[in-house]
Structures are given as structure tokens and as C-alpha cells.
């Protein structure tokens, strides 16, 4: 029974965190510790005393990516595995045993994701990345019926950091999560680097947890800024040079094209894209240094990942995603216009 460090990230939410903790402490596994990396939650110290977990607390929001790394720096020296949990996840009693067993039985697995069910729709799956398209968009399990994946562990391209386990050694060699991401796409980037080292990423059907969050329909400047910036980071760091110009170039072109298209609907979104591209260019030297390290430790070619169906050459998933967002923005604009006409 190897020792496991469970790192829960939390920000300004004590109610969800306590429900998460209650479920974690019912875990049927004898050898683990709990760490909570918290940002800006009042009275969090009282909860730490009640449940006796290790608390790392910040008065500013450091973001999920950095929170994962801060948690890693504070884990026990005895830990062989690290588990990451979001604060809005509730686990079942044997979830951790299932994750540890699969890691112990197959040394080629670098990351294993729990089978995440939607809390409000427990017969449907939450996110796991089956593969990505040419521009890095997830082909996700979200909304699939639970029975669609059977009862076996399946290989996926990337694991959701909402509930996953990774080897301590792998986390250290890859450098963990990228602090520059802050939020969004950081788990894709980590899983991609793990795969480039030759490890597998899997979804463990019997490690059941429930996630309360849903797909975020709201399109706001904060989300657009980080999503655009981080997608550029992920593509430019991880793909081989021969496909970098294609994948990175097309995504950058579409991002630039979106600026005038979105401006009539919401000028703040266009400004967010401009800021994201500027931030990427400003940090390009740092991205190149990170890319150099990643490419130096990789042992798997992109063609191997493509042959397994993990890297796809289609852009239809990204296009569909952009079209849906555009329609949503138009609908919101029309609703605001109708409301203003009614009030006048």
C-alpha cells in the first residue's frame, strides 16, 4: 500500500471543500495524506483544525496550475503517488485503491484519471480527453453514457486534473504543471508531456468520483484570454517542429481572424484575444526554452500519437466550438437588444 498525497485545490469556497473532504476521509485506503492549497477562503484555518489536513493558504489567487505545483513541494517524502482533486469533486470509498492498483500493476502508466461522473446526471460522464484535433481542442467524453466505455480501463490522450493520479517521479522529471497557464489547458499540457516521455494516460472505470461543475456556457474575457494564451503555449511547446508551423500557425491565424469577427458582438472579447497573443509573444523566449527541454526528453514521435488516434488532423472540432460560441454571443446580444426595446 504505497503512500499517496492527495492535493485538493480550493478558492473562496468552504462549502464545496468540506463536502469534498467528508467524502475523501471515507476513502477505503490506509496510507494517504491530504493537503489543501487554498486561495482567499475566509475561516479556512478552522476547517483545517476540524479535519486535520495540511493547509497551504494564500491571500491572493495563484491559480490552479501553480496550486498543483505548490502542493507538490509540500508533500511527504514518503509519497510515491500524487493525486489531484478539484474542490467540487466527491469521491466514492474505493476510488483511490482502484487508481493505485492500476499504477502498481502497470509501470508504463504515467497518469490515471478517475472515472468522473456528472454530479447532476450520474449516468453521464464528465470530461476526459480521448484525443485532440489539429488545433488542440478536446474530443471529450463529456455527456457520453457511462455504459459507452464498458467496464475496463481505457487509454486516453489527456487526463482531467479534476481527479487524477500521477507518479511522483514522472511529475518531477516533466516539471509538473506550467505556472504560466494559471487556469485552463494546463492538464492537457501536462498529460502531453507525460506521453512524450513514453508513458500512457488512462481512464480507470472503477475509480468513480462525481464532479459538480458543468460545461461553462458563459463566454467572458477572462476565459477567452487564458484559453487563447494557453492553447498557443501548449501547441508551441509540445508538437514537433515539422507540424508546429501548421498547428500553431493555423490557430494563431484563427485567433487573429476572431478579433474583428467578435468585435461587433463584444469588444472586450476581442481585446482579450489581443492581450493573449501579446502575452504569448512577450513570453516567447521563455516558451522556446521550455520547448527545448521538452523536446530533449521526449522519446515518442508525433506520428506515433497520430497512429493511435490521439493527435487528429481535422479542425472540425475547433470550428464547431467556435461556431457554437459565436451563436451564443449573437443570441445574448439579441436578448439584450430585445430587453432594451421592451424597457424603452
Amino acid at each position: 500500500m504505497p503512500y499517496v498525497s492527495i492535493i485538493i485545490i480550493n478558492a473562496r469556497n468552504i462549502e464545496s471543500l468540506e463536502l469534498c473532504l467528508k467524502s475523501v476521509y471515507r476513502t477505503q485506503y490506509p496510507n494517504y495524506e491530504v493537503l489543501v492549497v487554498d486561495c482567499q477562503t475566509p475561516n479556512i484555518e478552522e476547517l483545517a483544525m476540524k479535519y486535520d489536513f495540511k493547509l497551504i493558504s494564500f491571500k491572493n489567487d495563484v491559480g490552479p496550475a501553480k496550486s498543483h505545483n505548490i502542493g507538490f513541494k509540500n508533500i511527504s517524502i514518503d509519497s510515491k503517488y500524487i493525486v489531484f482533486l478539484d474542490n467540487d469533486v466527491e469521491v466514492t470509498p474505493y476510488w483511490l485503491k482502484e487508481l493505485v492498483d492500476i499504477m502498481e500493476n502497470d509501470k508504463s502508466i504515467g497518469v490515471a484519471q478517475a472515472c468522473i461522473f456528472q454530479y447532476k446526471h450520474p449516468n453521464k460522464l464528465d470530461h476526459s480527453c480521448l484525443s485532440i484535433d489539429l488545433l488542440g481542442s478536446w474530443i471529450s467524453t463529456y455527456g457520453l453514457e457511462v455504459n459507452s466505455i464498458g467496464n475496463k480501463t481505457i487509454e486516453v490522450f489527456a487526463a482531467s486534473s479534476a481527479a487524477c493520479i500521477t507518479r511522483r517521479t514522472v511529475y518531477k522529471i516533466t516539471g509538473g504543471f506550467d505556472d504560466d497557464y494559471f487556469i485552463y489547458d494546463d492538464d492537457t499540457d501536462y498529460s502531453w508531456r507525460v506521453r512524450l516521455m513514453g508513458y500512457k494516460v488512462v481512464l480507470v472505470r472503477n475509480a468513480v468520483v462525481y464532479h459538480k461543475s458543468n460545461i461553462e456556457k458563459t463566454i467572458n474575457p477572462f476565459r477567452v484570454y487564458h484559453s487563447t494564451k494557453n492553447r498557443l503555449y501548449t501547441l508551441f511547446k509540445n508538437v514537433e517542429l515539422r507540424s508546429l508551423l501548421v498547428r500553431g500557425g493555423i490557430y494563431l491565424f484563427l485567433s487573429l481572424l476572431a478579433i474583428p469577427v467578435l468585435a461587433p458582438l463584444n469588444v472586450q472579447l476581442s481585446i482579450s484575444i489581443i492581450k493573449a497573443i501579446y502575452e504569448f509573444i512577450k513570453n516567447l523566449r521563455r516558451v522556446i526554452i521550455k520547448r527545448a527541454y521538452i523536446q530533449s526528453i521526449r522519446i515518442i514521435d508525433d506520428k506515433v500519437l497520430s497512429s493511435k488516434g490521439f493527435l487528429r488532423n481535422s479542425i472540425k472540432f475547433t470550428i464547431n466550438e467556435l461556431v457554437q460560441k459565436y451563436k451564443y454571443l449573437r443570441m445574448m446580444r439579441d436578448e439584450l437588444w430585445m430587453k432594451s426595446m421592451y424597457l424603452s
Side-chain angles (χ1 to χ4, degrees), residues 211-249:
H211 195 199
K212 293 180 182 177
S213 71
N214 296 311
I215 288 181
E216 190 175 345
K217 292 184 178 180
T218 302
I219 304 170
N220 56 64
F222 175 86
R223 185 179 180 88
V224 169
Y225 166 74
H226 285 288
S227 296
T228 304
K229 170 179 64 69
N230 295 347
R231 185 69 62 84
L232 287 168
Y233 282 165
T234 301
L235 292 173
F236 274 77
K237 288 193 306 175
N238 295 309
V239 299
E240 290 178 335
L241 185 60
R242 58 189 173 188
S243 59
L244 173 59
L245 293 177
V246 176
R247 293 178 182 271

Side-chain angles (χ1 to χ4, degrees), residues 98-99 113-117 125 146-154 202-209:
E98 295 289 345
L99 290 176
Q113 181 193 307
C115 190
I116 308 175
F117 293 6
L125 295 172
V146 172
N147 294 334
S148 64
I149 62 170
N151 292 316
K152 297 181 180 180
T153 295
I154 62 171
V202 299
L203 171 66
V204 184
R205 171 62 181 84
N206 292 328
V208 175
V209 305

Side-chain angles (χ1 to χ4, degrees), residues 44-59:
I44 187 71
E45 294 81 7
E46 296 177 12
L47 197 67
M49 291 178 64
K50 179 179 179 181
Y51 288 96
D52 194 26
F53 57 79
K54 187 183 294 185
L55 174 65
I56 305 102
S57 185
F58 293 90
K59 293 184 179 180

